[in-house]
Amino acid sequence: MTTVESPTAAGSGANATASFRTTEAYHAGTAAVSPQRVSTVVKAVLQGVHQAIRDNDVTYPEFQAAKAWLIEVGEGGEWPLFLDVFVEHVVEEVAARTQQGTKGSILGPYYLPDAQRLPATATLPMREDEKGTPLVFSGQVRDVDGTPLGGAEVDIWQADDEGYYSGFAPHLPDGNLRGIVVTDDEGRFEITTIQPAPYQIPTDGPTGKLITAADWHPWRPAHLHLLVRAAGHRTVTTQLYFQGGEYVDNDVAEAVKPDLILDPQERGDGTNTVTYDFVLERD
Ligand code: MBD
Ligand code: FE
């Protein structure tokens, strides 16, 4: 890990509210939900809150502190960050009950649609002096029956060697370490990039202040984000982690699964190589 100073909320782009509002996920969430469903789920959430208050003898000052903090999360634009770190993994766990093929993981707050489309063998857009261990990540996209899926999209985004995401951290060029790699006729791809660093939730925003106040740690293990799509198939949203990496065993976002851990090998010239195949089910 090469981050020497903790990221700030402003410097790392913890405010992901505006970008969230442009996404398909946001628009999908604006669809009508039945009053019965709203009542059932919201009642269950409120009952959980009520019970936590009773069980822990929550006081008026604590209630007002919670109210002030909730206001700050919204004003700081950190609802996407907070919810994706602390809640999304359970939504994904429920979605995974019905998904075959490659295991999924959380989307997180830093996806941006419309990355550059790249051929099957490609280097992700990066700065001339991009730091970090070079990584060649190759594999194949297949159907659950083994049929290779040519023309599939491997939409990949990742943090840099200091844990920052382009499009959010203001110091990074747009599109850095993001791309949509289109598989060849055999469903294959080969992506040249660099190994990402672990991600630290900025400590000066409301999410980070909560983490500090509770004496938790603010780290996610280093990871690659992926959306793998093919016509007629259910998209896989996932992340890949690195064997032996810091925080792989205690991700603050609880989004690591054993099937999603890569073990890259150094090929003798300072470059790491690894393969991982994706399997999509038909929709
Ligand atoms: C991330 O990089 C991330 O992937 C998630 C889920 C939450 C915060 C930052
Ligand atoms: Fe991430």
Side-chain angles (χ1 to χ4, degrees):
M1 234 304 291
T2 56
T3 299
V4 279
E5 277 169 45
S6 286
T8 61
S12 68
N15 184 340
T17 296
S19 82
F20 173 68
R21 286 194 168 125
T22 71
T23 62
E24 249 176 58
Y26 170 78
H27 292 286
T30 61
V33 181
S34 77
Q36 198 205 341
R37 180 72 177 161
V38 174
S39 177
T40 301
V41 176
V42 175
K43 198 177 278 178
V45 170
L46 290 173
Q47 279 169 353
V49 173
H50 300 335
Q51 206 52 44
I53 294 167
R54 289 191 193 100
D55 291 349
N56 297 285
D57 300 320
V58 172
T59 65
Y60 258 99
E62 288 168 341
F63 172 60
Q64 303 303 3
K67 206 188 289 179
W69 178 82
L70 288 161
I71 291 166
E72 277 183 43
V73 176
E75 287 177 347
E78 288 195 8
W79 279 117
L81 175 66
F82 176 81
L83 291 169
D84 293 352
V85 167
F86 291 109
V87 180
E88 189 183 356
H89 70 98
V90 188
V91 181
E92 195 285 323
E93 175 189 313
V94 170
R97 290 176 188 163
T98 64
Q99 190 154 23
Q100 312 304 309
T102 300
K103 296 273 186 260
S105 185
I106 64 180
L107 178 69
Y110 299 137
Y111 174 63
L112 291 174
D114 306 319
Q116 198 180 320
R117 281 177 78 83
L118 300 166
T121 297
T123 298
L124 293 188
M126 64 175 82
R127 293 164 287 181
E128 232 162 75
D129 57 349
E130 193 71 44
K131 284 186 277 148
T133 304
L135 175 70
V136 179
F137 164 45
S138 56
Q140 189 184 35
V141 181
R142 293 188 298 266
D143 184 275
V144 283
D145 69 9
T147 310
L149 297 172
E153 294 181 351
V154 179
D155 193 344
I156 181 169
W157 70 106
Q158 62 170 96
D160 69 5
D161 182 57
E162 296 184 329
Y164 292 102
Y165 285 89
S166 67
F168 293 89
H171 68 284
L172 293 178
D174 282 350
N176 208 240
L177 299 176
R178 296 173 181 271
I180 301 175
V181 176
V182 181
T183 62
D184 68 14
D185 292 346
E186 293 180 342
R188 296 189 193 281
F189 62 88
E190 184 186 283
I191 300 166
T192 298
T193 181
I194 54 100
Q195 297 235 354
Y199 169 86
Q200 184 181 184
I201 294 168
T203 45
D204 63 337
T207 306
K209 283 198 256 173
L210 169 70
I211 288 168
T212 302
D215 204 16
W216 300 336
H217 84 251
W219 293 94
R220 296 213 60 222
H223 55 277
L224 303 172
H225 287 273
L226 298 133
L227 278 165
V228 184
R229 306 179 195 90
H233 291 74
R234 182 167 168 182
T235 298
V236 167
T237 303
T238 196
Q239 300 186 26
L240 294 170
Y241 304 91
F242 298 91
Q243 181 67 248
E246 267 188 299
Y247 310 106
V248 168
D249 297 322
N250 58 351
D251 178 8
V252 66
E254 298 184 54
V256 179
K257 297 180 184 181
D259 289 11
L260 300 177
I261 302 174
L262 303 173
D263 190 12
Q265 300 299 310
E266 207 271 339
R267 71 180 179 193
D269 64 352
T271 293
N272 285 176
T273 67
V274 73
T275 66
Y276 196 88
D277 296 342
F278 297 98
V279 177
L280 307 191
E281 66 177 342
R282 232 158 281 192
D283 65 11

